[in-house]
Amino acid sequence: MGDVPTVTTAAYITGHGSPDAIRVGELPVPEPGPTDVIVRTEALAVNHVDAFVRSGSYRTHTPFPFVIGRDLVGTVAARGAGVAEFRAGDRVWCNSLGHAGRQGSFARYALVPVERLYRLPDAADPGAAVAVLHTAATAHIGLFREARLRAGETVVVTGAAGGVGSALVQLASFAGAKVVATASGRDAEWCRSLGAHTVIDHHDPQAMDRVGEAVPEGAAIFWDNTGRNDIEAALPVLADGARIIVMSGPGSRPILPVGEIYTRDVSVHGFVISKASVADLRSAAATINALLAADRLHARIGTTLPLTRAADAHRLQETRGPQRPRGRIVVLP
Ligand SMILES: NC(=O)c1ccc[n+]([C@@H]2O[C@H](COP(=O)([O-])OP(=O)(O)OC[C@H]3O[C@@H](n4cnc5c(N)ncnc54)[C@H](OP(=O)(O)O)[C@@H]3O)[C@@H](O)[C@H]2O)c1
């Protein structure tokens, strides 16, 4: 495999558990199959789902020792004989490792099936890019595959200043939608800078009334990133035919006012990016790359840690309250 070493530093688990279960040490670099690529990683990111996979709360095949992590940006170090699309030194990214039997990205050298690898636009910075890969792909799948967003429609995004929310505001605005966001007051300017038409403080007890005033036309899409999933509160601000996206808050048990939903042609769409097809991910990647190349897709980076502190990165990801970094957690190998 050319100048690829036989072992790599990696963050891995040998069983599900708390962040204390994460070890950092040497593991063999996998031998690439004919359609695999070995990527020398440059930047990695932590998402909520990484904690769910590590703890076992999201059930997926994790052959132990299991390298954690879903996203990477890096350069091609070696490729299988059947890989024609990439060559050594190409700058690339992936956002679908670390679940469904695939080892994760948290290593200096990681194996990526070529069908899950995309070219990184020349202008993109690895740390800035890795911070949007999971969130923007999630936003893309929900907006376009599930909700079938059309230009000119209105999208309401609650929890808009977080990772997925920020990506949603940018993708929906870029697609020609009017975006009405709810977020903490301190995040209003951030949401506006991403393209939100109106931002409402989600600590305001009348926040949903304010949303209603901002969308007299009715929202075509309602997307909750907070895990509350208060469908009853959302219904008054929706247009007939609206699509509600549910994708967070696994323990929430919202009231479902069935009569109002079916008589108004409202639909509720649940999805998880972990089950997205290679085609879905590729379609999202095309949009992500177009936006990265145009410098129109940004995330706030809350903190950057070395790979040796992968367990701390997971602890921070799971922290609630003021100690939680306001932005993505990026890890450098
Ligand atoms: N289904 C999927 O495929 C998929 C993919 C990615 C993520 N997710 C899920 O989507 C959710 C968002 O992910 P993320 O990466 O964007 O998380 P994040 O960066 O932590 O952002 C969460 C946002 O929700 C807000 N929030 C949290 N609790 C709230 C509450 N009780 N009331 C009002 N706002 C609240 C936060 O606002 P403040 O900062 O003001 O607290 C923050 O802006 C997570 O639950 C994640 O697990 C699902």
Side-chain angles (χ1 to χ4, degrees):
M1 282 201 293
D3 56 2
V4 178
T6 53
V7 292
T8 179
T9 303
Y12 62 93
I13 52 173
T14 54
H16 295 301
S18 74
D20 296 342
I22 298 173
R23 307 265 169 274
V24 178
E26 306 261 277
L27 288 179
V29 174
E31 189 67 34
T35 56
D36 293 330
V37 174
I38 299 294
V39 175
R40 188 180 198 290
T41 60
E42 288 174 31
L44 313 165
V46 187
N47 303 292
H48 288 292
V49 74
D50 297 310
F52 303 154
V53 171
R54 185 214 68 234
S55 70
S57 69
Y58 178 73
R59 286 198 197 176
T60 184
H61 181 41
T62 53
F64 298 121
F66 188 72
V67 179
I68 59 172
R70 199 164 273 231
D71 306 335
L72 63 77
V73 169
T75 54
V76 172
R79 57 185 175 151
V83 175
E85 303 90 317
F86 298 100
R87 28 177 88 205
D90 284 350
R91 300 174 79 225
V92 289
W93 61 269
C94 175
N95 60 354
S96 55
L97 297 181
H99 67 291
R102 290 184 294 284
Q103 291 285 340
S105 59
F106 272 42
R108 297 214 171 113
Y109 290 86
L111 182 147
V112 184
V114 70
E115 62 184 2
R116 296 175 179 277
L117 194 65
Y118 321 106
R119 211 166 277 282
L120 185 74
D122 288 340
D125 168 73
V130 82
V132 301
L133 302 179
H134 179 71
T135 54
T138 302
H140 191 276
I141 292 165
L143 281 177
F144 300 107
R145 188 193 73 187
E146 294 298 322
R148 302 193 177 278
L149 171 66
R150 294 182 292 271
E153 288 189 319
T154 297
V155 181
V156 170
V157 180
T158 70
V164 175
S166 297
L168 263 170
V169 174
Q170 292 169 92
L171 264 68
S173 305
F174 186 68
K178 170 182 159 184
V179 179
V180 172
T182 77
S184 292
R186 63 185 181 173
D187 289 323
E189 200 39 54
W190 165 248
C191 293
R192 264 186 226 105
S193 77
L194 302 175
H197 177 274
T198 309
V199 187
I200 287 141
D201 187 339
H202 61 202
H203 297 299
D204 179 345
Q206 263 77 55
M208 212 39 84
D209 294 340
R210 303 280 95 79
V211 170
E213 288 157 18
V215 295
E217 70 280 23
I221 297 173
F222 188 96
W223 185 314
D224 182 323
N225 294 293
T226 72
R228 284 180 175 173
N229 297 311
D230 191 344
I231 292 174
E232 212 171 21
L235 275 167
V237 310
L238 302 184
D240 285 0
R243 290 81 77 196
I244 297 172
I245 299 290
V246 292
M247 44 65 80
S248 77
S252 74
R253 298 284 183 275
I255 293 167
L256 196 68
V258 171
E260 203 177 339
I261 285 182
Y262 75 73
T263 58
R264 295 180 55 203
D265 281 352
V266 170
S267 51
V268 180
H269 301 247
F271 82 97
V272 66
I273 190 174
S274 301
K275 294 198 162 57
S277 68
V278 164
D280 292 334
L281 292 169
R282 183 164 295 282
S283 169
T287 299
I288 290 170
N289 272 351
L291 291 173
L292 284 176
D295 196 23
R296 291 191 62 176
L297 184 55
H298 302 116
R300 290 188 294 196
I301 295 178
T303 192
T304 301
L305 292 172
L307 180 61
T308 48
R309 293 188 59 199
D312 285 334
H314 270 231
R315 284 184 195 101
L316 277 177
Q317 179 66 34
E318 293 179 299
T319 303
R320 296 282 166 270
Q323 295 88 359
R324 174 105 200 274
R326 288 177 68 226
R328 311 311 287 175
I329 300 169
V330 169
V331 170
L332 299 180

